[in-house]
Amino acid sequence: MTTRPKNALIMQSGGCTNVLNSSLFGIVSEAADAGAFGRVHGASHGLEGLLEGKTVDLTDVPQATWRRIARSPGAALGSTRRKLTPDDVPIVLGRLAALSIGYWFIIGGNDSAETGHTLSVEATKAGYDLTVVNVPKTIDNDLVMTDHCPGYGSAARFVALAAMGAGADAEAMGAASPITIQEVMGRDTGWLAAAAALGRREERDAPHVICLPETPVDEDRFVAQIEAAYTRFGFAVAVVSENARSANGVLGGQCEPWFVDDFGHPYYDGPAHYLSGLVSKRLSVRTRYEKPGTIQRSFVAAASRRDLTEAEMAGRAAVRAAMNGHTDVIVTLERAPGSAYECITGLAPLDAVGGKVRTMPSEFLDAAAGELKPAFLRYLRPLVGRLPRFARLG
Amino acid sequence: MTTRPKNALIMQSGGCTNVLNSSLFGIVSEAADAGAFGRVHGASHGLEGLLEGKTVDLTDVPQATWRRIARSPGAALGSTRRKLTPDDVPIVLGRLAALSIGYWFIIGGNDSAETGHTLSVEATKAGYDLTVVNVPKTIDNDLVMTDHCPGYGSAARFVALAAMGAGADAEAMGAASPITIQEVMGRDTGWLAAAAALGRREERDAPHVICLPETPVDEDRFVAQIEAAYTRFGFAVAVVSENARSANGVLGGQCEPWFVDDFGHPYYDGPAHYLSGLVSKRLSVRTRYEKPGTIQRSFVAAASRRDLTEAEMAGRAAVRAAMNGHTDVIVTLERAPGSAYECITGLAPLDAVGGKVRTMPSEFLDAAAGELKPAFLRYLRPLVGRLPRFARLG
């Protein structure tokens, strides 16, 4: 008599990306191809839904739907920012038991790695046989133990194209609108903002200044750099990470909050808003600020083909890892040795990843000077794919 | 003895678009193909440069450069917001005479149509033989006498994809970040903001509210509409034109200006900023605002292929019109009769276009109710091209 194979549960967690659903597709496809599990369930809005017993049976979703979902931004299961608390653990284990879940796949970032590891440990303690495999995901590209993260290449592509476009625009507008400051996402690190440099082929090209969380912003130096570019080229573009800070903390923290909620929590405008005011005032040139917000992580025409492929690949690798008996691990993306870019998957223990943040290393960024190094662009280029080449007259 | 053909001058004016350089390419290519002119010059930053004698000889720019410029956003000659003043007229005529300009091509919007017409009239008065042909250009799509304007289709494509993406993101994020307000360009009209509706296939799809300059924003109604969508779908997206106004004037005009320049001119944040504060406060849900700014008109991956083609076509038509003896005219784009979309060019007198603004007509917009009509989407779809189709589970 054969045992009925155990069921699987998938969840998506954290900020969305252009390829989060490609990983979901990778998991369900590989599971279907392998016939490895009984039913495949999805948790609605991750932990949030799971705690309330909100799951959806994905087993019979038609392939045509999956193909379309794989190319949709967002998170088809719904995502969440809910973190696991100690009180959640028995509830989650109860939910898993009720659905006969033996395999748990979590697509997420470092918070999700902590969740996966904790549940793995707690399940073992409780004598519950649970395989946990995470699939990396974040536009912030800040997970340790992996060469890069699915989601990053596409957001980086958006940011690079946005800087190229804003540069062409500001240069053309000249006196009418010569200075633009763009604000880019990135919780603790500058990987995404730094991607704005990828389209820069000559000194004249935007962006002329990039501010990353790794390097505190000196306001006088920032204005001087903008002024230098403006004087020399007739226009200037800066790309600023949303968490760029001054040496004293929040940039513009001395300003009035733009909104105070009913609990009295103040919300400050981002650094681009603040810095554009500063530059306008100091240089007496009206300065635009731009904030693409969630557009940068959901704009489907900016998706990197390689990112889409690798996200699916990471999902498939998670299923194979689970079938091969691995647990409490996260899939990693590794760069195969050799001159041509080739990505292979590996595995890392979840507790080596959870809660850790990979800031930009010194071979990519001189953090003291705030200068990106050529090795970073070599690293980034294959993830983003080919960029168009704009031309100038003369 | 044959007379040496007269020289031509091209200028680009107003806000940049993704296809402004396609029209430039169309003019120089058609001119080269026809061998119609002597030298072809470009004015640097339009009137600004012309007044100072800053022009560039384009005749010998290699074809390979043109091909690349044709696909670059911005304005390769440089653009300007400088309007023609009566004092400028003799200076401009002097500059034209110095370069033996007999043909003047202006790629621009309704300010440029005024410039072209004025110069045409003044040249005639002065006994200067000048042919003036304008090529339409504006992401605002607000020129009269033309079915649509080059530049609009690409910006509309960006706006439609941005709303689709932000919708997928907000829906997926759910409680963590359920409401987004995007601010879209548009000087006096809602053509561009209205394009956000193009990706909407069902009621659940973003955007749930669109605010256009044609319909004053009632703040209570706006919040109620957002709340209704949020309650029903768990997320809500609004797209707001940068010049959306309340019945009393500037939205949020009662707020502190975010910046006051040295001359004491106050600058207010746009309506998305203001409305997101309002919604956050009223619904006690933190609400994002997004402002893609110049990205929406320069993001090359959002360019509409048809828009690129038509922009070039309009440039070529301008040269043929000039060669056929037309002057003081602007090229128009017309929809050929028949069920399949086909665009042909026509001509309209410049004085019928200059300084006029085409707001959205009643067959496209019920301005009193602020409701777009299906005829608008039928009008828009061929200009934007095929949009991806996102999928949901269940």
Side-chain angles (χ1 to χ4, degrees), chain B residues 28-195:
Chain B
V28 294
S29 298
E30 190 74 17
D33 293 352
F37 314 122
R39 308 298 292 178
V40 177
H41 298 274
S44 287
H45 294 286
L47 275 185
E48 251 177 279
L50 184 60
L51 287 164
E52 296 172 10
K54 289 185 187 157
T55 58
V56 48
D57 190 329
L58 304 173
T59 323
D60 302 323
V61 173
Q63 190 66 5
T65 304
W66 281 123
R67 294 258 162 224
R68 195 160 270 168
I69 285 176
R71 290 293 176 274
S72 300
L77 295 174
S79 191
T80 182
R81 295 233 179 250
R82 177 81 155 74
K83 290 197 194 195
L84 188 77
T85 67
D87 290 349
D88 294 337
V89 172
I91 305 171
V92 170
L93 289 177
R95 298 292 182 195
L96 298 179
L99 289 167
S100 305
I101 302 298
Y103 300 90
W104 196 16
F105 299 100
I106 307 174
I107 315 171
N110 39 33
D111 289 343
S112 300
E114 285 189 295
T115 298
H117 176 61
T118 303
L119 260 295
S120 183
V121 169
E122 295 295 330
T124 305
K125 276 192 208 160
Y128 186 103
D129 183 15
L130 180 68
T131 291
V132 180
V133 182
N134 278 40
V135 177
K137 174 256 22 153
T138 170
I139 63 166
D140 290 353
N141 204 41
D142 61 354
L143 300 186
V144 299
M145 310 286 284
T146 187
D147 178 78
H148 58 281
C149 302
Y152 175 57
S154 296
R157 185 168 180 81
F158 183 95
V159 167
L161 289 170
M164 289 175 73
D169 196 284
E171 183 170 3
M173 296 310 294
S177 180
I179 304 179
T180 300
I181 302 180
Q182 299 187 316
E183 185 170 305
V184 160
M185 289 178 161
R187 191 158 60 167
D188 302 300
T189 63
W191 292 98
L192 188 55

Side-chain angles (χ1 to χ4, degrees), chain A residues 12 62 77 181 306 319 335-336 343:
Chain A
Q12 295 174 304
L77 296 174
I181 302 180
R306 188 163 265 150
V319 172
R335 222 172 267 245
C343 182

Side-chain angles (χ1 to χ4, degrees), chain B residues 104-285:
Chain B
W104 196 16
F105 299 100
I106 307 174
I107 315 171
N110 39 33
D111 289 343
S112 300
E114 285 189 295
T115 298
H117 176 61
T118 303
L119 260 295
S120 183
V121 169
E122 295 295 330
T124 305
K125 276 192 208 160
Y128 186 103
D129 183 15
L130 180 68
T131 291
V132 180
V133 182
N134 278 40
V135 177
K137 174 256 22 153
T138 170
I139 63 166
D140 290 353
N141 204 41
D142 61 354
L143 300 186
V144 299
M145 310 286 284
T146 187
D147 178 78
H148 58 281
C149 302
Y152 175 57
S154 296
R157 185 168 180 81
F158 183 95
V159 167
L161 289 170
M164 289 175 73
D169 196 284
E171 183 170 3
M173 296 310 294
S177 180
I179 304 179
T180 300
I181 302 180
Q182 299 187 316
E183 185 170 305
V184 160
M185 289 178 161
R187 191 158 60 167
D188 302 300
T189 63
W191 292 98
L192 188 55
L198 197 64
R200 201 160 59 183
R201 290 170 191 279
E202 26 184 312
E203 273 194 287
R204 201 179 170 73
D205 291 341
H208 307 99
V209 189
I210 300 179
C211 299
L212 313 177
E214 283 85 345
T215 306
V217 177
D218 176 318
E219 295 186 7
D220 293 335
R221 182 163 178 252
F222 179 84
V223 175
Q225 287 175 311
I226 291 285
E227 186 173 24
Y230 178 48
T231 304
R232 194 158 158 216
F233 308 124
F235 75 109
V237 173
V239 175
V240 180
S241 181
E242 63 182 352
N243 284 315
R245 284 162 181 270
S246 70
N248 309 319
V250 181
L251 262 176
Q254 70 276 37
C255 298
E256 288 293 302
W258 72 281
F259 167 65
V260 180
D261 71 16
D262 291 340
F263 306 98
H265 301 139
Y267 293 95
Y268 293 100
D269 280 305
H273 187 278
Y274 172 69
L275 291 171
S276 66
L278 185 75
V279 171
S280 296
K281 200 159 189 74
R282 295 262 192 99
L283 304 187
S284 292
V285 178

Side-chain angles (χ1 to χ4, degrees), chain A residues 8-12 24-25 27-28 32 38-44 55-63 66 69 76-77, chain B residues 393-394:
Chain A
L9 179 72
I10 311 174
M11 71 178 226
Q12 295 174 304
L24 174 62
F25 172 72
I27 296 171
V28 295
R39 308 298 293 179
V40 177
H41 298 274
S44 287
T55 58
V56 48
D57 190 329
L58 304 173
T59 323
D60 301 323
V61 173
Q63 191 66 6
W66 281 124
I69 285 176
L77 296 174
Chain B
L393 284 168

Side-chain angles (χ1 to χ4, degrees), chain A residues 331-348:
Chain A
V331 171
T332 57
L333 298 180
E334 294 172 12
R335 222 172 267 245
S339 59
Y341 177 87
E342 193 196 340
C343 182
I344 54 176
T345 61
L347 293 171

